[in-house]
Amino acid sequence: MATARDSWVEATRHLRVMPRNPELIVFATLQPVMFVLLFVYVFGGAIAIPGYDEYDQFLIPGIFAQSVVFNSAFTSVGIAEDMQKGYIDRLRSLPMSRAAVLIGRTVSDLVRNVFTFAVMLAVAFAIGFRFEGSLVSALGATLLLLLFSYSMAWIQALIGLNVSSVEAANSAGFVWMFPFTFVSSAFVDPSQMPGWLQPIAVNNPFTIATNASRAMYNGIDPGSDLWVAVAWSIGIVVVFAAWSTRQFARSTVA
């Protein structure tokens, strides 16, 4: 209970800062909206996917997945900034859970991700994307993507704790996400990739989460992909939360 209380206090601190920094909110929202518009209008009529009459219905869930993962990079940047400014050292002197610092940061970034996802979804609906399945199924797909993005935030937390500056966190936080999201089923069927690359794309956790959410948005049975994606997300949170908390304790030792 003490950890939960401290985590909430830390999360609300970050959330209170958001309205005072409107530029951050604008650019965090603008990027995923640009992804939706550019990918739909550039690639929208260029690729045929078996089982989908319209490529947009295949593409947009992939863009949703990529955007929420990209937004997790704010976690590494925010932690690196707090460490650089000495804020983490001040928290170290307080009688609070060390894990709460990281939990509060990741939870507040998840809330911001929910806001940007809502804007991105509205834009997608404006350009023709529709839920082909039920509202419950679409809600499940959205919650799955947010859970997966939360797991990515813990990877970003570890990155933020291990770099020496905000600039390094910005670079390190993004560089691995490009192959992670593009070598996947987000934009094309992995069967269209070179033979040596297909097993990597098919077994990519991002592919599994994308396939599950895409199926639910389109009213298709996701099969085992749903539970495998949930298992990947929970596993990543458990492993990287423990790793990040241990690294946090080491990095703040005087």
Side-chain angles (χ1 to χ4, degrees), residues 179-180 182-186 188-191 193-208 211:
F180 183 66
F182 278 97
V183 183
S184 71
S185 65
V188 297
D189 192 320
S191 64
M193 299 179 182
W196 62 270
L197 194 58
Q198 290 180 20
I200 300 174
V202 169
N203 295 291
N204 184 348
F206 180 77
T207 290
I208 298 170
N211 287 345

Side-chain angles (χ1 to χ4, degrees), residues 35-111:
F35 272 124
V36 171
L37 296 177
L38 289 175
F39 275 92
V40 166
Y41 288 115
V42 172
F43 298 111
I47 302 175
I49 301 293
Y52 291 86
D53 295 332
E54 296 182 5
Y55 179 55
D56 293 358
Q57 289 295 127
F58 177 90
L59 174 67
I60 289 180
I63 299 175
F64 289 166
Q66 185 193 52
S67 296
V68 296
V69 169
F70 275 16
N71 282 342
S72 69
F74 286 108
T75 301
S76 62
V77 173
I79 289 176
E81 183 179 22
D82 284 345
M83 292 187 68
Q84 194 174 54
K85 291 181 176 179
Y87 176 75
I88 296 295
D89 290 332
R90 292 195 292 272
L91 289 179
R92 181 167 57 88
S93 65
L94 299 176
M96 64 180 294
S97 167
R98 292 183 174 182
V101 177
L102 301 178
I103 295 173
R105 165 61 69 174
T106 54
V107 168
S108 65
D109 289 341
L110 176 63
V111 173

Side-chain angles (χ1 to χ4, degrees), residues 154 237-247:
W154 280 103
V237 170
V238 170
V239 171
F240 280 89
W243 192 354
S244 298
T245 302
R246 177 175 295 183
Q247 180 62 33

